[in-house]
Amino acid sequence: MSATTVKNLTGSFVMPTLEHATVSDAMHPGVLSCEPDATATELARLMSAQHVHCIVVMGIAHDAGGESLVWGTITDLDLLRAGLAGGAEQTAQAIARHTTLSVEPTMPLRAAGRLMLEQGVSHLLVVEPRAQRPIGVLSSLDLAGVMAWGEA
């Protein structure tokens, strides 16, 4: 049996505690995106090369109101599910969660964490309130970082 040593580490920057933090304090700004017709193999390569667990599928929808930006998300588990089902050439559009949960950057971080737990997801898309465009991603690991390093 081996002994586990936990080093006393400190964060690389100061951030508020979980009680005082907002989504913008913890989120990863920017999104890694793909086209709706990207294959599962291409998505797997993108995720592994960039060391990310979530990709945003972005495209333009055409309807009676004109054109609009639409999106969905694909997490590493969504991709794994598709791959194990033999869908290496499934498209991003087919794999993506179209009921993507989104939050605004000013939302309290604790509320975003509760939403993740209630919905059973590990990633939330952060959208700019006025334009309703994706501006970042909040992951459960981002919340763990605030829990670990947040200071009053």
Side-chain angles (χ1 to χ4, degrees):
M1 176 184 277
S2 64
T4 301
T5 304
V6 177
K7 295 181 180 181
N8 186 13
L9 302 172
T10 59
S12 59
F13 56 91
V14 177
M15 67 176 59
T17 61
L18 184 60
E19 289 75 27
H20 297 100
T22 63
V23 166
S24 66
D25 292 321
M27 72 180 217
H28 279 86
V31 295
L32 186 60
S33 65
C34 70
E35 296 289 327
D37 61 351
T39 66
T41 300
E42 292 168 332
L43 296 170
R45 289 178 181 155
L46 184 58
M47 277 188 186
S48 62
Q50 298 297 318
H51 300 282
V52 298
H53 297 265
C54 183
I55 295 176
V56 177
V57 182
M58 297 180 72
I60 303 293
H62 304 277
D63 57 23
E67 291 184 340
S68 61
L69 181 65
V70 294
W71 63 80
T73 55
I74 298 175
T75 67
D76 51 350
L77 292 178
D78 297 328
L79 185 60
L80 178 61
R81 192 174 297 110
L84 291 177
E89 297 311 309
Q90 274 189 349
T91 65
Q93 183 174 6
I95 299 169
R97 287 184 180 234
H98 294 287
T99 55
T100 299
L101 295 173
S102 62
V103 295
E104 293 183 1
T106 56
M107 179 183 218
L109 192 57
R110 183 175 286 279
R114 281 191 200 107
L115 179 62
M116 286 179 168
L117 290 174
E118 290 166 1
Q119 298 298 315
V121 298
S122 58
H123 295 80
L124 297 173
L125 195 57
V126 183
V127 298
E128 195 280 321
R130 281 183 237 133
Q132 289 296 299
R133 293 181 63 89
I135 59 169
V137 174
L138 178 70
S139 74
S140 54
L141 188 56
D142 296 330
L143 273 88
V146 172
M147 292 168 62
W149 308 115
E151 297 179 6

